[in-house]
C-alpha cells in the first residue's frame, strides 16, 4: 500500500514493542473482501452441500448454526482482534504474549505452507478443465476409440466418459498409492501456471492482493447468481432442492453430525491458519473488529447456503436425466422382447406397461435383467470435493444447452474461490517470516516471495505423479484437520488465560469504543475452549477406531468401476501420523527450548552470585 502507519498506538503499559512503518489497507472494503475471500473457499461450494445432503438436508443447519455461534464467531473475533491490536503476524503475536508461545505461530505457518501445497494443485486441476472447456463437444462427453479404431477404450466403456477423463486423461492415476508412476507433464505445466498466477497477484503483498481481490471475491457471487437463475429453469431442479432442504430430524441423533458440523464451520472460516491474524495486522488499530468478525462469519455461512441451491438444482437435473436414461434402456429391452410397436411405451406410461407385462409374462420380464430405476437412488449418489467438481458436475453440464459456456463459468468461479484462499495461505507464511526479519536486508520482498512460490511448486510436484491424487487426499485429511484444532485450542487458552481476558477486553474497548458483551465473555472463557476440546477428543476417538483406507481407481479390480478400497501400507500410515504431528510439534519444542534457556540463565545467575552481597 502507498500509505504506511508511522507508529502503533502505545499499549496500555503492556510492554510490547511498537510496530513502526507497517503497510495498511487502502480502505475498509478491501480488507473485508480479503478476509471474506480467504474464508470463503472451495469447501463452501463442494463440502457444505454434501454435508447437508448426507445429514438430513435442512436439519443439518441446526448443529451448523450452533457451531457457528459458539465456536466459529468467537474464534474469528479473537484472531482479528489480537492481530489488529498487536500488529504482527502469527509468530510475532504469540511470541509477544509469551516467549513460550512462539511455537504456536510456527505451527500456524507450517499448516499454511502445507495446505498451500495441495490447495494450489487443485487450482492446477481446475485450470486443466478450464482449458478443455472450450472444446466442442466437451472432451469428457464421449469415450475415446482404442488404438485400432474398432471400438471404445474398455476402461471407459466399463465406467463412464466423465470418470475416464478425470482418472485417466487428467490424473493418469496408478492402481494404488505404492505405485508412484511418473510426472504427468500436463499437470506440471498447469501447476506451474497456477503458482505463476498466485505469485503475480501476490508479488507486492497486500498492495497487489488488494487489487486482485476485487475480482477474485466478487466474480464467484456473480457466477453463482447466473447458475442459480439457470439451474432453477432445468427440469428436475425441484427434485434436487426438495431433497436438499427436506429435514430428516432423525439424523440429529447421530453424534457424527454434530462433529462434522463443528469441524465444517471451523475449517470453512480458515481459523488457526495465521492468515486472518496477518490480514488484520495491516488494519488501523482504531477499527471495529467485532463488526468485521460478524460480517465475515455471516457472509461465509450465507455463501455456503447460497451455493447449495444451484449445486443441488443441477444435481436434481442430473438425477432426472439418469433416471430417464435408465427407463429408456428398459423400454428398448421390453420393446424388442415383446415386439411392441415403437413409441408405444413412453416414459410417462412405462410403469403401467411394466406392471402389465409382469402380470402376463413374468418369466420373460425377469430374463431381460432390467435395471432398477429409482429417482431416489440417483439423488442419493452424493459426492464431495473433487468428486463433485470434476465428476458429478461435469457429467451434468454435458446435457445442459450451451454446455461449454457453463463449464467455463463454473471452473473460472472455482479458480477465483481457490485463488483468494491461496492469498491467505501464502500471507500466513510470508508475514511471520518478514516480521521476524528472517529475510536478508539485501533481498527484495518480491524475490523472497518468488523463492517461497518456487519452493512450494517443487515440493508439490509429488501431486503430479500418477499416485498424486492419493497423496493429495492424505494431505487434505491429516494436515487440514487435527493440527488446526490443536492450534485453535492453544490460541484461545493463550489469549484468555495467559494474555489475560481483562487485558484483552481493555484492548478491544480501546480499539472499538465498547467492551465485549456477555456473549463474547462466556464463549471465550468457557464454551469455545470446551467445544474445541470435545471436537478434538471425538476426532481422535473416531480416527483410532477405524483403520484408514483409500479409494483406488483400479481397472483390474473385480468390481470395477466401483472403488477398490485398500488399506494404507505401514509406511504411508506413518507419513499420515507425521503430517498430523509435524505441524504442531513446534508448540512444545519452542516452549521447552525457552524453558531450558531460562533454567540455564537461572543456574548461571545463582552460580555467579556474590556470596558476600548481603554483607555489603
Amino acid at each position: 500500500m502507498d500509505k504506511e502507519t508511522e507508529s502503533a498506538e502505545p499499549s496500555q503499559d503492556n510492554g510490547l514493542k511498537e510496530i513502526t512503518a507497517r503497510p495498511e489497507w487502502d480502505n475498509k472494503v478491501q480488507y473485508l473482501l480479503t478476509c471474506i475471500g480467504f474464508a470463503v473457499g472451495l469447501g463452501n461450494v463442494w463440502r457444505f452441500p454434501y454435508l447437508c445432503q448426507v445429514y438430513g438436508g435442512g436439519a443439518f443447519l441446526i448443529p451448523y448454526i450452533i457451531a457457528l455461534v459458539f465456536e466459529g464467531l468467537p474464534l474469528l473475533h479473537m484472531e482479528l482482534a489480537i492481530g489488529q491490536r498487536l500488529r504482527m503476524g502469527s509468530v510475532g503475536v504469540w511470541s509477544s504474549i509469551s516467549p513460550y508461545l512462539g511455537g504456536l505461530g510456527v505451527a500456524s505457518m507450517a499448516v499454511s505452507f502445507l495446505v498451500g501445497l495441495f490447495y494450489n494443485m487443485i487450482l492446477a486441476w481446475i485450470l486443466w478443465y478450464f482449458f478443455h472447456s472450450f472444446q466442442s463437444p466437451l472432451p469428457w462427453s464421449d469415450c475415446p476409440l482404442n488404438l485400432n479404431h474398432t471400438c471404445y477404450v474398455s476402461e471407459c466403456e466399463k465406467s463412464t466418459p466423465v470418470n475416464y477423463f478425470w482418472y485417466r486423461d487428467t490424473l493418469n492415476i496408478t492402481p494404488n498409492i505404492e505405485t508412484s508412476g511418473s510426472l504427468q507433464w500436463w499437470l506440471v505445466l498447469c501447476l506451474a501456471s497456477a503458482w505463476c498466477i498466485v505469485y503475480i497477484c501476490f508479488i507486492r503483498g497486500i498492495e497487489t492482493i488488494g487489487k486482485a481481490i476485487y475480482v477474485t471475491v466478487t466474480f464467484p457471487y456473480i457466477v453463482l447468481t447466473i447458475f442459480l437463475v439457470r439451474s432453477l429453469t432445468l427440469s428436475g431442479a425441484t427434485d434436487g432442492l426438495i431433497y436438499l432442504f427436506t429435514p430428516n430430524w432423525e439424523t440429529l441423533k447421530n453424534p457424527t453430525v454434530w462433529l462434522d458440523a463443528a469441524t465444517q464451520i471451523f475449517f470453512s472460516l480458515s481459523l488457526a491458519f495465521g492468515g486472518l491474524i496477518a490480514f488484520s495486522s495491516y488494519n488501523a488499530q482504531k477499527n471495529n473488529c467485532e463488526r468485521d468478525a460478524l460480517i465475515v462469519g455471516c457472509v461465509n455461512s450465507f455463501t455456503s447456503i447460497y451455493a447449495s441451491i444451484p449445486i443441488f438444482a443441477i444435481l436434481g437435473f442430473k438425477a432426472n436425466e439418469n433416471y430417464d436414461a435408465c427407463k429408456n434402456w428398459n423400454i428398448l429391452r421390453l420393446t424388442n422382447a415383446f415386439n411392441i410397436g415403437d413409441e408405444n411405451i413412453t416414459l410417462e406410461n412405462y410403469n403401467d406397461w411394466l406392471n402389465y407385462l409382469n402380470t402376463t409374462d413374468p418369466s420373460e420380464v425377469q430374463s431381460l435383467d432390467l435395471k432398477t430405476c429409482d429417482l431416489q437412488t440417483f439423488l442419493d449418489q452424493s459426492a464431495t470435493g473433487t468428486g463433485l467438481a470434476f465428476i458429478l458436475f461435469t457429467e451434468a453440464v454435458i446435457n445442459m444447452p450451451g454446455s461449454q459456456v457453463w463449464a467455463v463459468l463454473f471452473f473460472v468461479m472455482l479458480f477465483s474461490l481457490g485463488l483468494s484462499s491461496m492469498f491467505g495461505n501464502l500471507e500466513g507464511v510470508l508475514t511471520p517470516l518478514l516480521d521476524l526479519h528472517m529475510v536478508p536486508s539485501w533481498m527484495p520482498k518480491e524475490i523472497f516471495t518468488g523463492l517461497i512460490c518456487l519452493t512450494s511448486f517443487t515440493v508439490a510436484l509429488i501431486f503430479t505423479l500418477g499416485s498424486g491424487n492419493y497423496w493429495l487426499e492424505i494431505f487434505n485429511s491429516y494436515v487440514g484437520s487435527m493440527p488446526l484444532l490443536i492450534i485453535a485450542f492453544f490460541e484461545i487458552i493463550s489469549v484468555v488465560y495467559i494474555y489475560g481476558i481483562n487485558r484483552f477486553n481493555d484492548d478491544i474497548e480501546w480499539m472499538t469504543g465498547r467492551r465485549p458483551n456477555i456473549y463474547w465473555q462466556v464463549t471465550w472463557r468457557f464454551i469455545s475452549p470446551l467445544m474445541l476440546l470435545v471436537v478434538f477428543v471425538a476426532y481422535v476417538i473416531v480416527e483410532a477406531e477405524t483403520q484408514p483406507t483409500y479409494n483406488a481407481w483400479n481397472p483390474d479390480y473385480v468390481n470395477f468401476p466401483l472403488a477398490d478400497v485398500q488399506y494404507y501400507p505401514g509406511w504411508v500410515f506413518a507419513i499420515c501420523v507425521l503430517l498430523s504431528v509435524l505441524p504442531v510439534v513446534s508448540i512444545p519444542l519452542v516452549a521447552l527450548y525457552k524453558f531450558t534457556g531460562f533454567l540455564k540463565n537461572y543456574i548461571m545467575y545463582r552460580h555467579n552470585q556474590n556470596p558476600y552481597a548481603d554483607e555489603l
Side-chain angles (χ1 to χ4, degrees):
M1 309 279 88
D2 30 48
K3 62 179 178 179
E4 296 180 340
T5 128
E6 292 303 321
S7 63
E9 291 289 342
S11 174
Q12 296 133 332
D13 197 25
N14 58 13
L16 298 175
K17 295 179 180 179
E18 288 188 4
I19 308 300
T20 60
R22 190 169 186 83
E24 286 189 355
W25 299 103
D26 282 344
N27 52 66
K28 184 65 173 288
V29 173
Q30 194 178 75
Y31 162 67
L32 285 176
L33 285 178
T34 305
C35 290
I36 290 170
F38 182 37
V40 176
L42 297 173
N44 296 74
V45 174
W46 65 31
R47 176 68 176 163
F48 178 83
Y50 163 77
L51 291 175
C52 276
Q53 182 189 17
V54 171
Y55 292 134
F60 179 74
L61 293 176
I62 294 176
Y64 178 81
I65 291 173
I66 291 174
L68 171 67
V69 171
F70 293 109
E71 181 187 50
L73 289 177
L75 282 164
L76 180 62
H77 185 195
M78 184 198 72
E79 287 201 354
L80 295 182
I82 202 71
Q84 178 177 303
R85 182 65 186 95
L86 302 185
R87 309 211 73 209
M88 298 178 186
S90 56
V91 175
V93 162
W94 305 117
S95 297
S96 297
I97 291 176
S98 171
Y100 294 98
L101 296 175
L104 197 54
V106 176
S108 291
M109 187 170 62
V111 169
S112 289
F113 176 76
L114 292 172
V115 169
L117 294 180
F118 73 81
Y119 209 90
N120 223 30
M121 187 65 230
I122 298 175
L123 295 190
W125 291 339
I126 293 170
L127 282 178
W128 170 255
Y129 270 79
F130 170 74
F131 296 145
H132 284 81
S133 296
F134 294 94
Q135 297 181 27
S136 182
L138 291 171
W140 54 82
S141 58
D142 297 300
C143 285
L145 295 172
N146 61 15
L147 295 177
N148 298 326
H149 297 278
T150 54
C151 60
Y152 294 119
V153 174
S154 61
E155 182 182 348
C156 184
E157 277 191 310
K158 291 178 182 178
S159 56
T160 64
V162 171
N163 281 327
Y164 182 82
F165 185 82
W166 168 239
Y167 288 109
R168 189 56 54 211
D169 288 342
T170 302
L171 301 177
N172 195 20
I173 198 166
T174 56
N176 56 67
I177 195 171
E178 292 182 282
T179 307
S180 295
S182 59
L183 295 176
Q184 313 303 318
W185 63 266
W186 55 92
L187 292 181
V188 174
L189 289 178
C190 289
L191 182 62
S193 301
W195 275 110
C196 286
I197 293 171
V198 169
Y199 175 66
I200 291 170
C201 295
F202 203 88
I203 189 168
R204 298 188 65 185
I206 63 171
E207 182 176 349
T208 46
I209 290 176
K211 304 299 186 293
I213 210 72
Y214 289 114
V215 176
T216 60
V217 173
T218 56
F219 184 76
Y221 289 96
I222 296 172
V223 175
L224 276 175
T225 303
I226 295 172
F227 268 109
L228 177 65
V229 175
R230 179 68 184 96
S231 64
L232 293 177
T233 63
L234 294 172
S235 60
T238 307
D239 293 321
L241 295 180
I242 291 173
Y243 184 86
L244 173 62
F245 289 114
T246 300
N248 178 9
W249 304 112
E250 289 297 313
T251 58
L252 296 180
K253 298 177 182 178
N254 182 358
T256 309
V257 179
W258 296 84
L259 177 62
D260 279 344
T263 52
Q264 170 63 18
I265 193 63
F266 179 81
F267 301 135
S268 70
L269 285 171
S270 299
L271 300 168
F273 282 92
L276 291 170
I277 293 177
F279 287 144
S280 64
S281 72
Y282 299 116
N283 258 346
Q285 288 188 311
K286 293 286 189 176
N287 173 64
N288 193 337
C289 50
E290 177 183 333
R291 183 174 57 198
D292 296 344
L294 293 174
I295 291 173
V296 173
C298 292
V299 168
N300 177 73
S301 297
F302 165 78
T303 304
S304 297
I305 299 171
Y306 189 60
S308 299
I309 299 174
I311 290 294
F312 272 89
I314 291 171
L315 293 183
F317 162 73
K318 174 185 174 294
N320 273 270
E321 289 285 316
N322 291 343
Y323 178 57
D324 291 344
C326 177
K327 290 199 294 186
N328 281 327
W329 191 89
N330 287 351
I331 289 171
L332 182 62
R333 299 275 290 178
L334 292 170
T335 301
N336 293 335
F338 290 95
N339 295 318
I340 301 172
D342 290 343
E343 299 183 5
N344 279 332
I345 305 180
T346 63
L347 292 173
E348 288 73 23
N349 64 20
Y350 164 76
N351 289 327
D352 295 333
W353 268 99
L354 184 61
N355 292 332
Y356 168 73
L357 294 173
N358 261 322
T359 304
T360 57
D361 197 348
S363 59
E364 180 67 19
V365 173
Q366 188 174 4
S367 68
L368 296 177
D369 290 328
L370 298 178
K371 295 179 179 179
T372 302
C373 301
D374 180 31
L375 179 61
Q376 189 68 29
T377 302
F378 290 112
L379 287 169
D380 285 337
Q381 292 175 350
S382 58
T384 181
T386 54
L388 176 64
F390 302 121
I391 296 178
L392 280 184
F393 184 85
T394 50
E395 187 176 355
V397 82
I398 293 171
N399 300 315
M400 293 171 63
S403 55
Q404 287 79 14
V405 174
W406 301 112
V408 168
L409 283 175
F410 180 71
F411 289 113
V412 171
M413 177 192 71
L414 288 184
F415 191 83
S416 298
L417 285 170
L419 186 61
S420 56
S421 294
M422 271 302 298
F423 294 156
N425 288 326
L426 201 53
E427 189 69 41
V429 176
L430 285 173
T431 300
L433 294 177
L434 293 171
D435 286 348
L436 292 174
H437 306 291
M438 296 185 67
V439 183
S441 57
W442 52 266
M443 181 182 291
K445 183 181 177 182
E446 294 82 356
I447 299 296
F448 184 72
T449 303
L451 289 175
I452 293 291
C453 291
L454 182 61
T455 303
S456 300
F457 165 74
T458 304
V459 177
L461 287 175
I462 186 177
F463 303 126
T464 66
L465 294 169
S467 59
N469 187 51
Y470 303 135
W471 286 110
L472 188 138
E473 290 296 331
I474 287 174
F475 270 70
N476 184 35
S477 299
Y478 292 95
V479 174
S481 54
M482 192 169 70
L484 293 175
L485 292 172
I486 295 172
I487 293 169
F489 177 76
F490 279 104
E491 281 186 353
I492 199 163
I493 292 297
S494 301
V495 170
V496 174
Y497 298 107
I498 298 177
Y499 186 77
I501 188 63
N502 291 327
R503 183 180 176 188
F504 187 54
N505 290 334
D506 292 339
D507 287 345
I508 293 178
E509 184 177 15
W510 177 78
M511 290 188 294
T512 66
R514 66 173 181 270
R515 206 166 184 79
N517 57 36
I518 187 66
Y519 159 70
W520 299 113
Q521 301 293 336
V522 173
T523 51
W524 283 333
R525 292 171 190 255
F526 309 111
I527 298 178
S528 295
L530 182 62
M531 283 189 69
L532 283 171
L533 187 60
V534 170
V535 170
F536 171 72
V537 172
Y539 179 84
V540 171
I541 292 174
V542 169
E543 289 295 313
E545 287 179 345
T546 57
Q547 186 175 351
T549 59
Y550 67 102
N551 294 331
W553 179 262
N554 184 8
D556 297 326
Y557 179 51
V558 176
N559 297 319
F560 182 81
L562 295 179
D564 183 6
V565 181
Q566 301 184 23
Y567 291 106
Y568 284 122
W571 65 274
V572 174
F573 181 67
I575 293 176
C576 295
V577 174
L578 188 65
L579 287 173
S580 296
V581 174
L582 190 62
V584 294
V585 76
S586 61
I587 299 175
L589 285 182
V590 170
L592 184 62
Y593 173 76
K594 293 292 184 182
F595 183 69
T596 303
F598 166 76
L599 281 181
K600 181 180 177 182
N601 292 335
Y602 178 77
I603 292 171
M604 291 288 292
Y605 170 76
R606 296 283 295 179
H607 180 73
N608 297 329
Q609 191 174 16
N610 186 350
Y612 303 103
D614 294 336
E615 298 179 11
L616 295 178

